[in-house]
């Protein structure tokens, strides 16, 4: 389906990590280091390929397969502490996203596979939280995270929009699949993720800088 001649969106649903905040590189580096503690050496690119867009439960399954034994009980705590240390020193909003949000004509919200506490921290640290304070949706809110459609459907229902009126902005194949399963249109932000992986997952239009997004949302 093309966006051309489609009605403009009633609701724009942003993914958080990699779309609003530039957290993916910092997070995957923290994960890479925490796996190295367990004796598994990955490149940053391999870490992206394994973990991009996964929920915590899926992440733990992958870690268990990689380290070939039960995941230590403090793994998530160590990974989280490393991530938050990196966020405190280096986290920034995705370039151009403040302007996109200021200029949006449609209503909007954020829906992330990450925990709400992490969203509050990353959005707060980058000055975006005031825009999203009362419209944060997390996989914590539903029984099945992305790639299931539950989170996007929950966000749309709560915001009072029909799925066909929603446009999702996603940077991971997992998130693109979730949006398509929810019957929503998806614009794939391919700054860090290979564009073909987002297209294969079902993104109808791809872009690689936020300054391109307002025009895509208007058509
Ligand atoms: Mg993401």
């Amino acid at each position: 389906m093309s966006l051309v001649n489609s009605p403009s969106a009633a609701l724009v649903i942003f993914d958080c990590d990699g779309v609003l905040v530039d957290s993916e590189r910092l997070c995957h580096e923290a994960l890479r280091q925490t796996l190295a503690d367990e004796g598994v050496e990955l490149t940053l690119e391999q870490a992206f390929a394994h973990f991009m867009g996964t929920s915590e439960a899926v992440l733990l399954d992958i870690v268990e397969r990689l380290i070939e034994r039960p995941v230590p009980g403090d793994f998530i705590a160590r990974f989280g502490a490393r991530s938050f240390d990196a966020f405190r020193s280096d986290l920034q909003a995705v370039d151009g996203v403040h302007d996109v949000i200021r200029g949006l004509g449609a209503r909007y919200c954020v829906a992330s596979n990450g925990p709400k506490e992490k969203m509050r921290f990353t959005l707060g640290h980058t000055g975006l939280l005031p825009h999203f304070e009362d419209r944060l949706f997390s996989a914590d809110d539903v029984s099945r995270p992305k790639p299931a459609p539950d989170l996007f459907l929950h966000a749309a229902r709560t915001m009072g929009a029909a799925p066909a009126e929603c446009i999702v902005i996603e940077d991971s194949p997992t998130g693109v699949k979730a949006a398509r399963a929810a019957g929503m249109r998806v614009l794939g932000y391919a700054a860090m993720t290979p564009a073909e992986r987002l297209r294969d997952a079902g993104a109808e239009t791809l872009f690689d800088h936020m300054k391109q997004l307002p025009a895509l949302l208007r058509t």
Side-chain angles (χ1 to χ4, degrees):
M1 181 169 59
S2 165
L3 282 178
V4 176
N5 298 325
S6 301
S8 57
L11 178 66
V12 180
I13 306 179
F14 291 91
D15 174 46
C16 187
D17 293 297
V19 169
L20 295 177
V21 298
D22 212 351
S23 54
E24 292 289 15
R25 191 185 303 273
L26 302 176
C27 244
H28 284 78
E29 178 56 27
L31 188 50
R32 203 188 65 74
Q33 291 175 13
T34 312
L35 274 166
D37 294 345
E38 303 303 319
V40 173
E41 297 283 349
L42 297 183
T43 64
L44 191 57
E45 290 68 29
Q46 288 170 325
F48 269 102
H50 281 297
F51 298 106
M52 182 86 173
T54 56
S55 64
E56 188 173 299
V58 172
L59 180 146
L60 285 169
D61 285 346
I62 298 169
V63 169
E64 184 167 283
R65 280 208 304 278
L66 286 170
I67 67 176
E68 299 179 325
R69 62 181 184 280
V71 181
D74 65 346
F75 185 90
I76 289 291
R78 282 187 281 130
F79 164 47
R82 266 205 179 99
S83 300
F84 278 66
D85 280 350
F87 291 164
R88 273 185 208 97
S89 52
D90 293 326
L91 185 65
Q92 299 188 330
V94 165
D95 188 28
V97 86
H98 278 281
D99 289 339
V100 168
I101 289 166
R102 272 194 292 267
L104 265 185
R107 293 194 304 138
Y108 59 90
C109 63
V110 55
S112 170
N113 255 4
K116 256 183 197 161
E117 177 198 10
K118 178 183 171 191
M119 258 193 289
R120 287 193 175 282
F121 183 90
T122 59
L123 293 173
H125 191 79
T126 52
L128 289 164
L129 189 58
H131 299 294
F132 291 97
E133 187 73 70
D134 54 351
R135 46 191 116 168
L136 295 170
F137 299 97
S138 155
D140 297 344
D141 301 334
V142 293
S143 51
R144 298 183 304 169
K146 307 173 195 176
D150 306 32
L151 176 56
F152 286 134
L153 291 173
H154 166 65
R157 196 180 308 118
T158 307
M159 297 292 290
E165 302 174 313
C166 298
I167 294 184
V168 174
I169 317 300
E170 263 290 351
D171 71 325
S172 78
T174 304
V176 170
K177 285 179 194 157
R180 298 299 295 145
M184 298 176 183
R185 293 183 285 154
V186 193
L187 304 183
Y189 179 52
M192 304 277 292
T193 318
E196 66 271 18
R197 290 191 62 205
L198 298 181
R199 186 178 290 118
D200 289 351
E204 62 189 35
T205 302
L206 299 161
F207 66 106
D208 59 14
H209 195 285
M210 282 296 162
K211 66 187 175 201
Q212 300 166 286
L213 183 55
L216 294 174
L217 288 172
R218 275 197 299 273
T219 55

